[in-house]
Amino acid sequence: MTIFRRLLLRLGTSLIVLVGVSMLIFCIARVIPGDPARIALGPRATTEQVEQMREALHLNEPLVVQYGLFMRDLARGDLGISLYSKRPVMTDLAEYLPATLELVLLAGLMMVVFGLPLGALSARYRGRWPDHLIRVFSLLTVSAPAFVWAVGLVLVFAYFLPLFPITGRIADTLNIPHLTGFMLIDTLAAGRIDGFISALHHMILPAFALALSGIGQASRLTRSNMISTYEHPSIEMAQAYGFSEARIAQRYAFRPSLIPSLTIIGLDFAALLGNAFLVEIIFAWPGLSRYGVGVILQKDLNAIVGTVLIISATFLIANIIVDFLVSVINPRIRLSENGK
Amino acid sequence: MKRAAYILLTNPLSIIGLLLVGTVFFCAAFAGLVAPYPEHAGAVINFAFANKPPSADYLLGTDVVGRDILSRIIYAYRIALGMGLVVLLIAPPVGVAVGLIAGYLGGRTDFILMRITDIFLSIPPLVLALAIMGVLEPTLLNAMLAVTAMWWPWYARLVYNITRGEKVEGYVLAAEVIGASRTHIMFREILPNCIPAIVTKMTLDFGFVILIASSLSFLGLGVQAPTPDLGSMVSEGTRYLPDSWWMTVFPGLAIVVAVFGFNLIGDALRDVLEPD
């Protein structure tokens, strides 16, 4: 019951924050120097045409009224028309978001699968060579922007050693019916194992490039968490019982360190969503990035506002999910609530 | 302080960091002397030597219009470090003030200031910077503005958390009892205790500012040609992969060298200044 209430509370505050984000981004979009209507119509439009467009876009209303109208439309799922693609912004986002999300989720998974064990190993062999090696590796991974990793991985694993494809989401010869936009799900839904493998094959390199700095981050955090857990009396007790080092590391040191690490990984989703822009460009991944950069260069306000909103919403939802998982895993929260 | 310097100078990793950062600063400061072809920082065209692999004349090769990559990297460091300095001169004071005020005063001020901070923090940093660049002209100054706007909330959060812990400590209560002003307590009593954490964060952030700035220009939203910039050099070079690999690999490595250096120092500083 209380976990449920906690979830509801998180949902509520996130909603408030999201409204705040919409105000912020709306303000940013409206301080644009120059007239959005003029920018949309180009320099050859007549003054009347511009005035008509201003009227249609409610640009002559006070800012508060404009925001109200924007929120009213948003409540109906309408983010306006993109000047860049000439389609509703919602349609564009629905088309590009799944590809980005799929990439980000796989990268997040890689962060957990590689980052946590690396950090645990590092803490277990603290001060010895595996620790030094992992620490330098982790520091290196957070020292390069995602696009540099992407370029490096492409050069090594796609050009020099042609192990992975360079661009695309799936082999061109395969024709998978569009269902969710998530290639891995769509191929499975169509019962095409070959398609699933091909899609995964296309995703590994970009997802890894995206995940690398997160892996370093997760490993550094897990290490420091585990080192402080090692100083806890429970470890001494386990040692006194004569449990093996491996068992102590796994059960008594790693598990409690998992919780703070997971929370931070949730926060790291922000970095993944942002960096996806950089990685997608290198791999020509048909996600939000090309659209996002395109609309920014074109000063397409509706689309800019929509893109930022959808990314922030995704980030907030990811954090609610992580928070929920943590409260389920964490015995302190779980048990205290059952006891109440 | 002496102990900090001693530890920094005896730890091999932080020595490497200091050397890397020192080299980068030196190159940026004396770019005119260090760069083999200082004129190549501008819009020089030299087709006779275009697209040459690394050689004795051009240590890191040349780009598509025949400019020396090494010289351009050295000049690009100027932009990168300048960016880091400006952002770290503006963002931390703003964030620290917000964090101190929200954390010490509490109540409604706390609620409002920290919700505003939350709003900024819930937009992925790069995306916020992108959106701001979206409505502004892509220039160096605007890029600095965009990065600063996304950076202060992190300091607000950091200082807020420390202030909340410190304000119940004995020394703060003592200052309150003798009637010290709130400004005095915040900036003279509490702030000094936040300094170690702030300094560590600033060292690490110098590298991250370079990272974000290069990401912006990689997307074409930062420094514009012909000004040399590490991010735009990588982005330009990707068109000529894999044959002309030096056009992307060296500017990319240049970013790693600078950021890695700052991270090594920041990491060592953290061990010294925040021992727990």
Side-chain angles (χ1 to χ4, degrees), chain B residues 34-60:
Chain B
V34 181
Y37 305 91
E39 68 280 7
H40 285 194
V44 175
I45 290 176
N46 190 8
F47 278 126
F49 294 96
N51 200 5
K52 290 273 179 282
S55 63
D57 285 340
Y58 300 99
L59 281 178
L60 305 183

Side-chain angles (χ1 to χ4, degrees), chain A residues 88-109:
Chain A
V89 173
M90 242 356 168
T91 316
D92 285 342
L93 294 179
E95 181 177 333
Y96 298 118
L97 185 65
T100 298
L101 265 187
E102 195 170 35
L103 199 60
V104 166
L105 286 175
L106 185 62
L109 188 70

Side-chain angles (χ1 to χ4, degrees), chain A residues 7 28 32 41 47 67 80 86 126 139 143 159-160 178 182 205 217 241 249 259 283 285 304:
Chain A
L7 197 68
I28 292 174
I32 184 171
L41 292 171
T47 322
Y67 180 72
K86 313 272 188 281
R126 183 183 181 185
L139 209 55
S143 296
Y159 286 122
F160 296 144
H178 180 94
F182 289 86
L205 218 48
Q217 197 84 346
Y241 269 113
I259 292 155
F283 290 92
W285 191 260
I304 293 176

Side-chain angles (χ1 to χ4, degrees), chain A residues 192-214:
Chain A
R192 296 288 296 270
I193 296 299
D194 56 335
F196 181 81
I197 291 171
S198 167
L200 196 63
H201 189 214
H202 279 76
M203 270 176 80
I204 286 178
L205 218 48
F208 193 62
L210 187 55
L212 255 173
S213 62

